[in-house]
């Protein structure tokens, strides 16, 4: 699955982005294809498929946190993520 993603997205190596997500602690609440505390990244990608504004919106939400979309639990803000990293992570999540 990760290798397939790397093939369709040569500009954003999926494995490097998984490492980034892991190092930024995202994977302690998220999994690619299972709901943990937060939604599975595949479900996020499916929800916003075809939504061109989603990447920018998700990048902001990754940095600032927020809730109300997937359930009662809120995502805390992630001050360890800068804007460039948030954009990269949002694009990666949407590519799952
Ligand atoms: C403490 C747990 C936790 C951590 C850490 C966390 N998240 Fe989340 N995340 C959540 C929860 C809970 C939601 C659902 C929020 C909602 O319902 O709006 C969520 C939602 C999301 C969404 C979908 C937002 C939407 O509006 O649909 C994305 C994308 C996301 N997280 C990415 C990340 C990334 C990238 C990181 C790492 C920088 C991260 N998360 C770290 C708990 C977490």
């Amino acid at each position: 699955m990760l290798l397939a993603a790397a093939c369709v997205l040569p500009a954003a190596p999926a494995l490097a982005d998984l490492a980034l997500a892991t190092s930024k602690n995202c994977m302690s609440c998220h999994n690619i294809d299972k709901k943990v505390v937060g939604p599975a990244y595949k479900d996020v990608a499916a929800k916003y498929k075809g939504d061109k504004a989603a990447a920018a919106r998700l990048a902001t939400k990754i940095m600032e946190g927020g809730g109300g979309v997937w359930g009662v639990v809120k995502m805390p803000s992630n001050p360890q993520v800068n804007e460039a990293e948030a954009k990269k992570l949002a694009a990666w999540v949407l590519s799952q």
Side-chain angles (χ1 to χ4, degrees):
M1 188 279 306
L2 287 171
L3 290 176
C7 292
V8 291
L9 273 178
L15 292 174
D17 291 345
L18 174 61
L20 179 64
T22 305
S23 77
K24 296 297 178 182
N25 202 32
C26 314
M27 304 315 277
S28 61
C29 289
H30 292 278
N31 199 306
I32 305 283
D33 50 14
K34 279 200 308 275
K35 180 182 186 309
V36 191
V37 180
Y41 285 154
K42 281 196 167 164
D43 292 342
V44 177
K47 182 178 176 72
Y48 299 112
K49 197 162 183 275
D51 180 348
K52 296 215 184 326
R57 224 170 44 231
L58 291 183
T60 303
K61 182 150 171 177
I62 287 167
M63 288 186 288
E64 296 177 357
V69 177
W70 295 90
V72 292
V73 187
K74 287 192 176 143
M75 174 157 68
S77 66
N78 290 288
Q80 78 279 18
V81 177
N82 67 31
E83 197 176 341
E85 289 164 342
K87 284 184 178 153
K88 209 169 165 194
L89 288 166
W92 174 71
V93 169
L94 290 171
S95 75
Q96 299 307 303

